[in-house]
Amino acid sequence: MPLFDALLELADDHLVLGHRVSEWCGHAPMLEEDLAMPNMALDMIGTARSLYDYAGQVEGKGRGEDDLAYLRSEREYRNLLLVERPNGDFAHTMLRQLYFAAFMHPYWTAALTSEDETIQGIAGKAVKEMAYHIRHAGEWVIRLGDGTEESARRMADAAEALSIYVGELFEEGAAEDVPALPRRADLRATWEATIAEVFDEAGMTFEPSKYPQSGGRDGRHGEQLGHMLAEMQSVHRAHPGATW
Amino acid sequence: MPLFDALLELADDHLVLGHRVSEWCGHAPMLEEDLAMPNMALDMIGTARSLYDYAGQVEGKGRGEDDLAYLRSEREYRNLLLVERPNGDFAHTMLRQLYFAAFMHPYWTAALTSEDETIQGIAGKAVKEMAYHIRHAGEWVIRLGDGTEESARRMADAAEALSIYVGELFEEGAAEDVPALPRRADLRATWEATIAEVFDEAGMTFEPSKYPQSGGRDGRHGEQLGHMLAEMQSVHRAHPGATW
Amino acid sequence: PEFLAAFQARVDAEQKIEPNDDMPEGYRRTLVRQIGQHAHSEIVGMLPEGNWITRAPSLRRKAALLAKVQDEGGHGLYLYSAAETLGVTRKQMTEELLDGRAKYSSIFNYPTLSWADIGTIGWLVDGAAIMNQIPLCRCSYGPYARAMIRVCKEESFHQRQGYEIVMTLARGTPEQKAMAQDSLNRWWWPSIMMFGPHDADSQHSDQSMAWKIKRFTNDELRQKFIDATVPQAEFLGLTIPDPELKWNEEKGGYDHGPIDWDEFWRVVKGFGPCARDRVAARKKAWDDGEWVREAALAHAEKRRARKLAVAAE
Amino acid sequence: PEFLAAFQARVDAEQKIEPNDDMPEGYRRTLVRQIGQHAHSEIVGMLPEGNWITRAPSLRRKAALLAKVQDEGGHGLYLYSAAETLGVTRKQMTEELLDGRAKYSSIFNYPTLSWADIGTIGWLVDGAAIMNQIPLCRCSYGPYARAMIRVCKEESFHQRQGYEIVMTLARGTPEQKAMAQDSLNRWWWPSIMMFGPHDADSQHSDQSMAWKIKRFTNDELRQKFIDATVPQAEFLGLTIPDPELKWNEEKGGYDHGPIDWDEFWRVVKGFGPCARDRVAARKKAWDDGEWVREAALAHAEKRRARKLAVAAE
């Protein structure tokens, strides 16, 4: 079921990144970010819930959002490698967020005119949120890139570390044959323009990787995702069938 | 069943500390310690296995070592708070090990003459291992306490951080009414002598805490144990009833 | 003394004191201490609940918990702002928290040991906080009173949400029900202690009452809380862990068993189970974030300099 | 040239070269590189397997895995010692690993994604390593040959243990069997690539063969490995992910499908999936441990000084 699979891919992206961002909660560099982090996490987890819910309907086997989120293994998760990367420092987290949002914003914009009304509805809410994420994360990339020597070095490290995960954003995955969803490859130019604009203000240059990594869509993840899911699913799995 | 409960307490101590120490594997400060850490972890996990196995027999409900290790929740674990503490830096880890081994060595020595032959057998093996742990960890406490300014500061921090967990070592717990097991309170003098000797060489003084913490024997743990168990039990719980 | 009398008269007339008004130094100091502690409590309070965000057993609960923890950060933010109107900076207050000079509510030095604790904290801890805070909405100091109005509105939402979590557990599987009861057993007494020492042993009360910073005594508020909570527990089918708890027809409220004041003072003095870990976690966040805050300042400075340079051309 | 001929004659006569013997610089350099790489591989190899220690699904397996990872550290230790006999220090070699100058086996840049990988690594990766290493027990350089004898003995224990893990899964629940098959699918081709490029494309081979550092070509060893492994997979009821794999009666061995050399070179060049993470993990351990190593040195120094002072009295 290509639509089901494509919805899962999108949902997993949002849940996994939402989870990562939520790990900052109470541990951010300043109180304003202790508010911004759960805010962004909430946006992404909210979108994930709508997508899982719709995926469950499309599948038609009675699986709900929690079945899909809590009862699939690491190898069944289809998220991008980018979103599962550990938080690293604040520079890594903000650059990862910018990379993701700079892709999802044009994606949801394109989805606003989808032939599928449920997708339209999800896109309508998400497109505004992603605009905020671009702004918030982008401002931090600029501040850190053009801040102190240390912050510039950390931002450069983040750019170097994350560049290999960018290419996967534009792979079609299961959505190849789903006309209701935007073509990912078509969004590369917009993504590059957004990043170029931010990097320019930050005094940085985007260097695409010669050897981009992928595999997330086939469940070939990094080693960190398994640990994340072990924790995320622990209570749910310890009480099979319970209602929360 | 006091014997069953007392065996679980001991087993949990060894498994939880073994798990903590195993987390160092591949991440130690030098290759020799990359060997010593799994070595100590193996000793403790081996003892835990014998204790769980015996506890299962005593209980007589057919629960084996894995049932007891993998299918009890955080609130059912009865380990000491000391052993669940996060590894912290190398100084914390080594001091925690010294505190534990300096207690378990006289404990197993006393258990060598237990009226219970299974306990005698477990003690016979464990007593040698704990002597090695005292030596290994004790040497590191001395090296770090009497090393550089930084190492002395870190060792002092560790001593300050861990002192509140010492008192619980000497609480009888479920073994109160188990004549086959040594009295914990009786071992305090030996423990203090071992620590005093090491601390003296390390140029440190042991300061007992005014407000010792306890609760581990009643399953009132710190917040870190739940995360450890979530990870430890994840695969086992994801495949109920499977054989490995 | 004349000034003090005039000030007291304004307070007695229920007039709000505002930042630019003259005020007695003691009044200012009491408020700075109290609002600061309150702000710190919100911030430290993010940790015990934050401990379960990554393990929340359903996505709906995870989202609600995230929103709640975010609200707590928000409360911290407006309380720090209220304190700042009294001439102290957020940075100063944060440093006092991290070096142990400033206190925060002892309740947050207890660990969250199961998912049920997320429900129980909402139900009992937020419930007790609201009892304490509703009178503060009429506090004589304007900015604090206004902050509290907003805080209380959100807290009572959290309280209902927490109660609903506990209800779901209490009506769930036997394991879930046991989890709820266990959680109530651990949080009941610490919640009761949140109202502070008995009136006879309370230091700051009288002057605070006169200045209308405080409007009810510790024991009055505690009684209100117990009277409101006991029927809720009964409705859930859970047992409050106090064998001496019983209805007193005469006073029209519940009598409760003796509070363990040794435990209370131990935790207040900073020897609660998680005290060290809580401050260490906040300190780590603060220290790890230093380069970020520095970079933000440096960038703002650069930007300002560039603007000036452009303007000068 | 006369020296070279004499050296070659000793090697040809199967005499062992020992640390204090004269040897050609190229021979020394080749060995330092090879033994160093081998040692690094053992050390980095602790990481992918170490990734599952904390999640091993039974205590028995957890203990066995710990013991295995410890053995790998031990192999690293005696291999570094063997390399040190050639005049290079462990510290130097470690620094070369951490700054990317020295290589290690590319196989460890693949991630371990399920418990089955722990079995598969033992079965295939250790199996391939043994094929490579058994001839090294007869290597012309004495210390290396002796280290390899010990290594090989332990590796074949690991290999049997790994096979047994996979067998347990293959005979387990449908999910466990799927896990085993999935793991084989991911590790088969990387294991086949462990033998290096085809003989026609291999750089270092000829001279190494002449010096009896190497005794079989890459393709010979690969063929041996495939021939040994295919029946094992069949016995387990698992399918090797190579549709072109089939028995060739004529050559008395299996033919296999084409190897993805782009993938091979990509990973060899350091762009394997976990390459960055592996080196980062080792570097973090090294950097975080610096104060410990410094303290150990400082303490040894103090102790020596005190001993001298006592002796001088």
Side-chain angles (χ1 to χ4, degrees):
Chain A
M1 278 185 293
L3 177 57
F4 172 71
D5 291 335
L7 290 168
L8 274 191
E9 290 178 357
L10 278 170
D12 289 348
D13 285 348
H14 284 79
L15 178 59
V16 169
L17 187 54
H19 185 107
R20 279 288 182 234
V21 171
S22 80
E23 292 170 353
W24 275 101
C25 222
H27 308 281
M30 60 188 69
L31 187 46
E32 285 75 6
E33 291 306 306
D34 268 327
L35 296 174
M37 294 288 192
N39 193 42
M40 294 195 291
L42 269 170
D43 288 344
M44 293 184 280
I45 290 171
T47 302
R49 291 181 64 193
S50 307
L51 289 162
Y52 283 131
D53 183 57
Y54 187 35
Q57 291 171 35
V58 167
E59 190 192 31
K61 293 183 182 167
R63 287 206 281 180
E65 57 177 46
D66 290 337
D67 300 307
L68 293 169
Y70 288 96
L71 298 173
R72 285 184 305 135
S73 74
E74 173 183 359
R75 293 282 288 125
E76 294 167 292
Y77 261 70
R78 286 131 193 260
N79 57 277
L80 298 166
L81 300 178
L82 175 72
V83 300
E84 75 192 38
R85 291 303 297 167
N87 284 334
D89 65 13
F90 190 72
H92 277 71
T93 293
M94 283 298 149
L95 187 63
R96 186 184 59 192
Q97 200 61 31
L98 175 67
Y99 281 178
F100 182 71
F103 176 82
M104 288 314 304
H105 185 262
Y107 184 91
W108 291 126
T109 305
L112 287 172
T113 54
S114 167
E115 63 188 43
D116 180 319
E117 281 184 20
T118 309
I119 289 170
Q120 266 186 35
I122 296 171
K125 180 163 168 291
V127 76
K128 290 180 214 119
E129 293 166 352
M130 287 300 129
Y132 162 73
H133 292 210
I134 293 178
R135 213 161 52 238
H136 186 79
E139 273 167 18
W140 272 112
V141 171
I142 293 167
R143 272 187 212 114
L144 300 177
D146 182 37
T148 62
E149 220 170 282
E150 179 178 6
S151 71
R153 177 181 57 71
R154 284 173 181 267
M155 196 37 92
D157 283 352
E160 208 262 305
L162 295 177
S163 70
I164 54 176
Y165 304 110
V166 165
E168 199 182 15
L169 282 166
F170 308 104
E171 293 177 9
E172 300 299 338
E176 191 82 56
D177 304 313
V178 181
L181 290 171
R183 292 309 84 210
R184 293 178 156 261
D186 295 350
L187 306 174
R188 192 188 275 267
T190 312
W191 186 88
E192 284 177 353
T194 306
I195 301 305
E197 195 181 325
V198 172
F199 273 34
D200 186 51
E201 265 206 80
M204 297 163 66
T205 316
F206 178 73
E207 304 270 5
S209 168
K210 272 189 302 183
Y211 291 102
Q213 290 281 340
S214 58
R217 299 309 190 197
D218 302 321
R220 282 181 289 110
H221 296 280
E223 288 176 354
Q224 296 83 2
L225 182 67
H227 296 272
M228 174 202 278
L229 293 181
E231 166 142 342
M232 188 178 101
Q233 300 177 338
S234 57
V235 179
H236 190 96
R237 284 193 189 261
H239 297 268
T243 303
W244 301 97
Chain B
M1 280 184 293
L3 177 58
F4 172 71
D5 290 335
L7 289 168
L8 274 192
E9 289 177 359
L10 278 170
D12 289 347
D13 286 349
H14 284 78
L15 179 59
V16 169
L17 187 55
H19 184 107
R20 279 287 182 233
V21 170
S22 80
E23 292 171 352
W24 275 101
C25 222
H27 308 281
M30 61 189 71
L31 187 46
E32 285 75 6
E33 291 306 305
D34 268 327
L35 296 173
M37 294 289 192
N39 193 40
M40 294 196 291
L42 270 170
D43 288 345
M44 293 185 280
I45 291 171
T47 302
R49 293 182 63 193
S50 307
L51 289 162
Y52 283 131
D53 183 57
Y54 186 35
Q57 290 172 37
V58 167
E59 190 191 32
K61 294 184 183 165
R63 287 205 282 181
E65 57 177 47
D66 289 336
D67 299 308
L68 293 170
Y70 288 96
L71 298 173
R72 285 183 307 134
S73 74
E74 173 184 1
R75 294 282 287 125
E76 293 168 293
Y77 261 70
R78 285 131 193 261
N79 58 277
L80 298 166
L81 300 178
L82 175 72
V83 299
E84 76 192 38
R85 291 301 299 167
N87 285 334
D89 66 12
F90 190 72
H92 276 73
T93 293
M94 284 298 149
L95 187 63
R96 186 185 59 192
Q97 200 63 29
L98 175 66
Y99 281 179
F100 182 71
F103 176 84
M104 288 313 304
H105 185 262
Y107 184 93
W108 291 125
T109 305
L112 287 172
T113 55
S114 166
E115 62 187 44
D116 180 320
E117 282 184 17
T118 309
I119 289 169
Q120 268 186 36
I122 294 171
K125 181 163 166 290
V127 77
K128 292 180 213 116
E129 293 167 354
M130 287 299 130
Y132 162 73
H133 293 209
I134 292 179
R135 217 163 49 240
H136 186 79
E139 273 168 18
W140 273 113
V141 171
I142 293 167
R143 272 188 213 112
L144 299 178
D146 182 35
T148 62
E149 218 170 284
E150 178 178 7
S151 71
R153 177 180 57 71
R154 285 173 180 268
M155 198 35 95
D157 283 353
E160 208 262 305
L162 295 178
S163 71
I164 54 175
Y165 304 109
V166 165
E168 198 183 16
L169 283 165
F170 308 103
E171 293 177 8
E172 300 300 337
E176 191 84 56
D177 304 312
V178 181
L181 290 171
R183 292 307 86 209
R184 293 177 157 260
D186 296 349
L187 306 174
R188 192 188 274 267
T190 312
W191 186 88
E192 283 176 354
T194 306
I195 301 304
E197 196 182 322
V198 172
F199 273 34
D200 186 51
E201 265 206 80
M204 297 163 66
T205 316
F206 177 73
E207 305 270 5
S209 168
K210 273 189 302 180
Y211 292 101
Q213 290 282 338
S214 60
R217 298 309 191 198
D218 302 320
R220 282 181 289 111
H221 296 281
E223 287 176 355
Q224 296 84 1
L225 183 66
H227 295 272
M228 176 202 277
L229 294 180
E231 164 141 344
M232 187 177 102
Q233 301 178 337
S234 57
V235 179
H236 190 95
R237 284 194 191 258
H239 298 267
T243 302
W244 301 97
Chain C
E2 208 169 308
F3 162 64
L4 281 183
F7 182 81
Q8 188 63 50
R10 282 191 61 189
V11 168
D12 288 344
E14 298 283 344
Q15 285 179 28
K16 287 279 176 268
I17 311 300
E18 295 297 334
N20 294 327
D21 295 347
D22 279 340
M23 60 187 88
E25 184 52 24
Y27 179 85
R28 203 191 64 84
R29 235 183 309 121
T30 301
L31 276 169
V32 165
R33 187 177 49 76
Q34 180 170 331
I35 303 175
Q37 276 188 26
H38 193 161
H40 297 328
S41 299
E42 298 283 356
I43 300 306
V44 176
M46 296 173 82
L47 297 173
E49 294 182 89
N51 183 40
W52 287 89
I53 290 174
T54 54
R55 291 176 288 175
S58 77
L59 294 184
R60 183 169 76 93
R61 295 295 184 193
K62 189 192 284 276
L65 179 55
L66 266 167
K68 183 183 176 192
V69 173
Q70 188 192 23
D71 282 349
E72 281 156 11
H75 298 171
L77 200 60
Y78 21 101
L79 286 162
Y80 281 129
S81 301
E84 282 181 322
T85 62
L86 293 159
V88 55
T89 67
R90 200 210 295 178
K91 185 154 184 282
Q92 270 175 284
M93 290 184 274
T94 301
E95 284 164 0
E96 287 181 11
L97 170 67
L98 299 183
D99 68 18
R101 271 176 297 158
K103 294 212 176 310
Y104 54 88
S105 178
S106 301
I107 194 83
F108 300 119
N109 285 335
Y110 290 93
T112 49
L113 298 183
S114 76
W115 169 252
D117 290 5
I118 298 308
T120 308
I121 287 179
W123 173 31
L124 299 185
V125 176
D126 290 346
I130 293 168
M131 287 290 169
N132 270 325
Q133 290 167 5
I134 282 184
L136 291 172
C137 298
R138 294 187 291 132
C139 168
S140 59
Y141 187 59
Y144 191 25
R146 288 188 291 272
M148 290 320 297
I149 290 171
R150 193 162 156 192
V151 168
C152 280
K153 205 184 290 177
E154 294 179 2
E155 294 280 21
S156 59
F157 176 71
H158 297 161
Q159 202 262 350
R160 281 198 305 278
Q161 202 170 55
Y163 187 69
E164 199 243 313
I165 290 177
V166 180
M167 182 153 28
T168 306
L169 297 174
R171 297 179 176 173
T173 66
E175 289 76 19
Q176 286 178 306
K177 182 162 183 183
M179 197 189 273
Q181 180 64 56
D182 169 62
S183 181
L184 175 58
N185 294 347
R186 284 180 289 108
W187 290 95
W188 174 255
W189 290 105
S191 301
I192 293 299
M193 293 181 198
M194 282 176 72
F195 296 93
H198 284 312
D199 297 345
D201 308 317
S202 182
Q203 294 178 10
H204 306 291
S205 274
D206 292 352
Q207 182 60 72
S208 285
M209 296 278 270
W211 276 335
K212 304 212 173 179
I213 296 174
K214 214 171 156 159
R215 291 188 180 253
F216 295 96
T217 72
N218 294 351
D219 285 331
E220 283 165 0
L221 290 166
R222 184 164 20 235
Q223 186 67 51
K224 269 169 104 110
F225 172 74
I226 293 176
D227 293 345
T229 307
V230 171
Q232 295 173 341
E234 281 170 0
F235 181 75
L236 295 173
L238 298 178
T239 308
I240 287 179
D242 177 358
E244 296 180 40
L245 190 77
K246 65 163 185 286
W247 179 253
N248 180 330
E249 190 63 51
E250 207 166 323
K251 77 172 182 190
Y254 285 89
D255 290 336
H256 62 82
I259 290 172
D260 181 349
W261 294 111
D262 285 349
E263 163 82 3
F264 174 80
W265 288 114
R266 189 170 104 107
V267 178
V268 166
K269 281 182 188 147
F271 295 94
C274 300
R276 226 181 173 280
D277 290 348
R278 295 287 184 244
V279 175
R282 288 307 305 172
K283 194 165 156 37
K284 185 172 188 307
W286 186 251
D287 293 346
D288 287 356
E290 191 173 5
W291 68 272
V292 177
R293 298 190 302 275
E294 274 174 6
L297 283 177
H299 177 75
E301 191 50 49
K302 281 186 189 177
R303 190 170 275 205
R304 210 165 53 89
R306 277 198 291 264
K307 219 181 239 165
L308 285 175
V310 171
E313 267 167 23
Chain D
E2 208 168 307
F3 162 65
L4 280 181
F7 181 82
Q8 188 64 50
R10 283 190 62 189
V11 168
D12 289 343
E14 298 285 343
Q15 286 180 27
K16 287 279 177 269
I17 310 300
E18 295 298 333
N20 294 326
D21 295 347
D22 280 340
M23 59 187 87
E25 183 52 24
Y27 180 85
R28 203 191 64 85
R29 236 183 308 122
T30 301
L31 277 168
V32 165
R33 187 176 49 77
Q34 181 170 332
I35 304 175
Q37 275 189 25
H38 194 161
H40 297 326
S41 300
E42 298 283 356
I43 300 306
V44 176
M46 296 173 83
L47 298 173
E49 294 183 272
N51 183 39
W52 286 88
I53 290 173
T54 54
R55 289 176 289 175
S58 78
L59 293 184
R60 183 170 76 93
R61 294 294 185 194
K62 189 193 284 277
L65 179 55
L66 266 167
K68 183 183 176 192
V69 174
Q70 188 191 23
D71 283 348
E72 280 156 13
H75 298 171
L77 200 59
Y78 21 101
L79 287 163
Y80 282 127
S81 302
E84 282 181 322
T85 63
L86 292 160
V88 55
T89 67
R90 201 210 295 178
K91 186 155 183 282
Q92 272 175 281
M93 289 184 275
T94 302
E95 284 164 0
E96 286 180 13
L97 170 67
L98 299 183
D99 69 18
R101 271 176 297 158
K103 293 212 178 309
Y104 55 89
S105 179
S106 301
I107 194 83
F108 300 119
N109 286 334
Y110 290 92
T112 50
L113 299 184
S114 75
W115 170 252
D117 290 5
I118 298 307
T120 308
I121 287 178
W123 173 31
L124 299 185
V125 176
D126 291 347
I130 293 167
M131 287 290 169
N132 270 326
Q133 290 167 5
I134 282 183
L136 291 173
C137 299
R138 294 187 291 129
C139 167
S140 59
Y141 187 60
Y144 191 26
R146 289 188 291 273
M148 290 319 298
I149 290 171
R150 196 164 155 192
V151 169
C152 280
K153 206 183 290 176
E154 294 180 3
E155 293 281 21
S156 59
F157 176 71
H158 297 161
Q159 201 262 351
R160 281 198 304 278
Q161 202 172 54
Y163 187 68
E164 200 243 313
I165 290 176
V166 180
M167 182 154 26
T168 307
L169 297 174
R171 296 179 177 173
T173 66
E175 289 76 20
Q176 286 177 307
K177 183 161 184 183
M179 197 191 275
Q181 180 64 55
D182 169 61
S183 180
L184 175 58
N185 294 348
R186 283 179 290 109
W187 290 93
W188 174 255
W189 289 105
S191 301
I192 293 299
M193 293 182 197
M194 281 177 72
F195 297 93
H198 284 311
D199 297 347
D201 308 316
S202 182
Q203 295 179 7
H204 307 290
S205 273
D206 293 353
Q207 183 59 72
S208 286
M209 296 279 270
W211 275 334
K212 304 210 170 180
I213 295 174
K214 214 171 157 162
R215 291 186 180 254
F216 296 96
T217 70
N218 294 351
D219 286 331
E220 283 165 1
L221 290 167
R222 183 166 16 239
Q223 186 67 51
K224 270 169 105 111
F225 173 74
I226 293 175
D227 294 345
T229 307
V230 171
Q232 295 173 340
E234 281 170 358
F235 180 76
L236 295 174
L238 299 178
T239 307
I240 286 178
D242 177 359
E244 298 180 39
L245 190 79
K246 66 161 184 288
W247 179 255
N248 180 330
E249 192 63 51
E250 207 165 321
K251 77 173 181 187
Y254 286 89
D255 289 335
H256 62 81
I259 290 172
D260 181 349
W261 295 111
D262 285 349
E263 163 82 1
F264 174 82
W265 288 114
R266 189 169 103 107
V267 179
V268 167
K269 281 182 189 149
F271 296 93
C274 300
R276 226 180 174 277
D277 289 348
R278 295 288 184 240
V279 175
R282 289 307 305 172
K283 194 162 156 40
K284 183 171 190 313
W286 186 251
D287 292 346
D288 287 356
E290 191 172 6
W291 69 272
V292 177
R293 297 190 301 275
E294 273 173 7
L297 283 177
H299 177 76
E301 190 50 49
K302 282 186 187 176
R303 190 169 274 204
R304 211 165 53 91
R306 279 198 290 262
K307 221 180 235 166
L308 286 175
V310 171
E313 268 166 23

